[in-house]
Amino acid sequence: MLNGIVRRVEDEVAARRFERLARSHPLRYLFIEITRKCTLACVYCGSDCSPTWARPELGSDAWIDVLRQIAADFEARKVMLAFTGGEPLFKTGFFDVIGEAARLGFPFGMVSNGTLLTPQAAARLVKSGMGAISLSLDAPPDINDDLRGRGSAEKVAQAAANLHAAGYRGRLEIISTVTKPAVPHLDRLRRHIAALRVPEWRLAPLIPIGRAVKRKDLLPDANDLRAILDFIRRGRMDGCRPIPEFGEECYLGRAYERVVRPYRFQCLAGVTVGGIMSDGRIGACPELNECFLQGDVRHERFRDVWNERYRVFRDRRWTRRGACAACDAFAPCQGGSLHLYPSVDDEPLRCLYRMLGNGATD
């Protein structure tokens, strides 16, 4: 009974926190999808990136102008910039852009597949003051290369070595998109990452978006999900590195919340998290469906879009339908992660809370 009371109080606190943040919407994290061009063409890429991506994108000078505008309208030191892709290092003028980000006072980091992170690039990243680097490695090398391309795992290993050699002292992590074939090999992957001397490790089950829609054989099922979560729970208690952490997707229920990750789930896309796509369109997380886009920096000031739109992000009552309508976890969950919604008229593609066997009661 006491646990039930505590849980209800925690849920109410979480709901009030979301409402408070939605009203004030302080910009704290900004995804900069600087390009969709990539050195790889992973069979389950959620953004459909490839080396042959040829659609129009903002040039480096345009990106610099956007960053200057945002620095003028917000407190740059309070807005973390996350440079994503594609592969950011594939972008012509990338180092000019992050150099300007540093000059303006933004903290910033990047997600990279490691293929272009040479000793020279590592030295330039260290010199730029980059504070966080996430390297993508999804499975032990043999399985990873079957999925992402031959030699891709070795490129990550070399990238980590280059960063160490260059004296990188910022946050360094491995991000793993966990596919069904990788689930039985998480212990082996952890040992491999430990050998790379990467201290942090974030895992997330493959999302059924982008090219992954056509690869249902790679999607983890309910048993796989529980295996992933139980693996992370054990790994966070054994004192060994890398310390595994579950990604940001979905409320997980009492057994796993604040256990497999050091925070309680809340999807803050469009609330404290914004994003700008490679072509200048304004949204939140890069993985969101295009129906959630709110504007375009080529024609509008980001500040005005951020302050005047994003209603669909900040009032989540529209998600309370279907299975969510009667769900006991709606208060802390608020409909789950928005990247799982094909549109505002659809239910989410999946719910991890229900996959774990939760329903009317937790």
Side-chain angles (χ1 to χ4, degrees):
M1 181 177 177
L2 180 59
N3 286 339
I5 294 172
V6 170
R7 183 195 165 212
R8 284 195 295 274
V9 170
E10 289 178 342
D11 288 353
E12 290 171 5
V13 169
R16 287 199 297 271
R17 175 178 180 267
F18 182 87
E19 291 170 1
R20 183 176 67 254
L21 287 172
R23 285 194 301 272
S24 59
H25 51 266
L27 181 65
R28 293 291 177 259
Y29 202 91
L30 185 63
F31 284 101
I32 302 292
E33 186 194 61
I34 198 160
T35 184
R36 286 221 180 163
K37 195 170 185 180
C38 188
T39 49
L40 302 177
C42 302
V43 297
Y44 46 85
C45 179
S47 299
D48 203 27
C49 302
S50 74
T52 57
W53 183 267
R55 298 181 193 175
E57 296 186 330
L58 297 183
S60 58
D61 289 343
W63 278 116
I64 287 172
D65 288 343
V66 168
L67 294 186
R68 288 173 178 168
Q69 187 184 106
I70 293 170
D73 294 337
F74 299 87
E75 290 187 71
R77 65 183 180 84
K78 293 184 178 181
V79 182
M80 176 70 181
L81 302 181
F83 289 94
T84 69
E87 171 52 47
L89 290 170
F90 213 160
K91 181 69 174 181
T92 301
F94 174 66
F95 285 102
D96 295 330
V97 176
I98 63 173
E100 184 65 9
R103 189 192 71 78
L104 292 167
F106 289 104
F108 58 96
M110 66 179 284
V111 180
S112 172
N113 63 30
T115 56
L116 300 177
L117 217 164
T118 62
Q120 295 76 17
R124 295 184 74 178
L125 291 173
V126 170
K127 185 177 180 181
S128 76
M130 181 168 283
I133 298 176
S134 301
L135 299 174
S136 299
L137 181 69
D138 294 344
D142 53 332
I143 301 171
N144 184 85
D145 286 10
D146 283 344
L147 298 169
R148 294 173 62 89
R150 183 177 298 177
S152 56
E154 176 56 32
K155 289 290 188 179
V156 172
Q158 192 59 58
N162 292 340
L163 288 168
H164 293 315
Y168 181 71
R169 294 293 179 267
R171 180 180 181 184
L172 181 61
E173 70 171 354
I174 293 291
I175 294 180
S176 296
T177 297
V178 183
T179 59
K180 191 176 186 65
V183 174
H185 304 281
L186 295 178
D187 279 310
R188 184 156 64 99
L189 179 55
R190 191 184 190 195
R191 291 193 296 272
H192 178 73
I193 295 170
L196 302 183
R197 294 189 294 135
V198 177
E200 298 183 42
W201 180 25
R202 185 153 40 107
L203 302 89
L206 178 65
I207 304 167
I209 60 175
R211 288 201 285 264
V213 170
K214 297 181 180 179
R215 292 302 306 267
K216 290 183 170 50
D217 59 308
L218 298 178
L219 293 172
D221 60 24
N223 290 331
D224 297 323
L225 173 62
R226 194 172 292 278
I228 294 167
L229 294 173
D230 288 342
F231 167 82
I232 294 173
R233 177 163 54 187
R234 293 191 301 272
R236 293 186 65 79
M237 297 173 62
D238 64 16
C240 299
R241 290 196 172 191
I243 302 169
E245 177 180 319
F246 194 67
E248 296 86 356
E249 183 186 337
C250 284
Y251 177 73
L252 300 171
R254 185 169 53 193
Y256 294 109
E257 282 298 320
R258 296 186 67 87
V259 174
V260 296
R261 52 194 172 201
Y263 54 88
R264 209 166 191 267
F265 168 78
Q266 277 193 330
C267 176
L268 296 177
V271 177
T272 63
V273 178
I276 304 174
M277 310 302 285
S278 64
D279 59 4
R281 291 178 296 171
I282 299 170
C285 303
E287 292 174 331
L288 287 170
N289 189 283
E290 291 191 356
C291 70
F292 290 101
L293 293 171
Q294 301 293 300
D296 193 320
V297 294
R298 292 170 295 184
H299 317 299
E300 306 169 275
R301 200 170 183 91
F302 178 86
R303 174 199 61 200
D304 297 335
V305 175
W306 181 255
N307 288 331
E308 296 170 10
R309 299 178 203 167
Y310 285 90
R311 291 183 183 87
V312 70
F313 293 86
R314 297 165 189 170
D315 183 351
R316 303 280 176 87
R317 287 177 293 182
W318 60 271
T319 66
R320 193 159 198 171
R321 58 171 179 257
C324 290
C327 183
D328 63 309
F330 186 83
C333 179
Q334 295 290 311
S337 303
L338 294 189
H339 64 253
L340 294 171
Y341 285 84
S343 77
V344 295
D345 298 317
D346 294 309
E347 291 192 46
L349 296 170
R350 71 180 177 201
C351 172
L352 302 187
Y353 183 67
R354 291 198 295 276
M355 283 178 67
L356 291 168
N358 300 300
T361 60
D362 180 12

